[in-house]
Amino acid sequence: MPDLMIAPRRTAHLDRVAEALRLVHENDGYPTVWPDDPAAWLAPAGALDGWVALADGEIVGHVMLVDGGKVEFAAELAEAAGVPMTNLAGVSRLFVTPAARGARVAAALLERVEDTPARRGRRLVLDVVDDGGPAVHLYERLGWTRVVAGPASWTRPDGVRPRAAAYLCPR
Ligand SMILES: CC(C)(COP(=O)(O)OP(=O)(O)OC[C@H]1O[C@@H](n2cnc3c(N)ncnc32)[C@H](O)[C@@H]1OP(=O)(O)O)[C@@H](O)C(=O)NCCC(=O)NCCS
């Protein structure tokens, strides 16, 4: 993608990140339920740093890090990594606007997260709805290791409890 830039997320970006998220929600149902306060959804408990992907100055993607304990199956991930849960950092709120898909924007965001000093040596982990969709495909293509899968801790508005999978970063 021409002129793709990954930049630290600033408070001033939040409205535009929320607009990008709205496009993703309408296209993909992510997040499943549109939050009353998108800015608060983008700053959950345990939030660490965030980044935006900008193409020609427009926000086309987002990712953030959260405390590893916020990730589904955190205990299993910590055991697999051989570190305490406090030494995990979770990749969260990853999305790319529909028009910018398939151009490795998500891969560029994940690469930036892997290289950030904000990791403070922590192992990166994440959870994903285990639906065989583009996100699962992305993590496996990038070499993330599937540690565990099972029913998620949350239910959709229709009462269905999706299957979630948890992954460990190879680096
Ligand atoms: C998952 C997601 C972040 C991937 O973003 P992306 O920038 O398109 O990712 P990439 O370009 O690195 O890879 C996407 C894959 O889809 C393929 N693809 C090609 N054209 C595409 C298109 N127009 N739309 C979607 N995917 C396309 C890519 O080629 C690639 O597959 P490959 O590995 O076989 O080449 C994006 O689909 C998304 O935002 N989904 C909704 C939110 C979501 O599920 N987030 C994850 C939460 S855990």
Side-chain angles (χ1 to χ4, degrees):
M1 170 163 300
D3 293 326
L4 181 73
M5 198 176 98
I6 309 298
R9 190 187 89 184
R10 309 265 176 237
T11 307
H13 288 131
L14 278 179
D15 286 350
R16 289 192 295 144
V17 175
E19 281 168 27
L21 180 64
R22 168 68 84 173
L23 298 176
V24 174
H25 174 68
E26 284 166 1
N27 192 69
D28 307 282
Y30 176 88
T32 315
V33 178
W34 180 250
D36 290 337
D37 183 352
W41 189 84
L42 288 162
L48 303 170
D49 289 8
W51 293 264
V52 289
L54 296 150
D56 294 329
E58 201 173 309
I59 290 182
V60 295
H62 175 270
V63 70
M64 65 188 301
L65 280 180
V66 298
D67 285 333
K70 302 290 175 192
V71 172
E72 300 261 18
F73 307 114
E76 289 90 336
L77 287 164
E79 192 185 334
V83 300
M85 216 186 281
T86 47
N87 283 18
L88 301 179
V91 172
S92 186
R93 280 35 173 174
L94 171 68
F95 57 86
V96 171
T97 54
R101 301 260 169 94
R104 302 287 187 260
V105 173
L109 281 162
L110 289 170
E111 199 175 304
R112 178 61 179 267
V113 167
E114 287 181 27
D115 289 343
T116 182
R119 272 178 78 163
R120 296 193 196 101
R122 286 185 272 190
R123 288 296 299 273
L124 294 182
V125 293
L126 59 82
D127 63 57
V128 58
V129 174
D130 194 19
D131 58 1
V136 171
H137 183 75
L138 171 77
Y139 303 135
E140 297 200 346
R141 171 165 58 76
L142 296 178
W144 287 63
T145 307
R146 172 183 283 243
V147 171
V148 57
S153 62
W154 51 277
T155 52
R156 287 200 291 247
D158 60 6
V160 172
R161 187 178 296 276
R163 220 180 132 72
Y167 285 82
L168 188 60
C169 183
R171 292 208 283 144

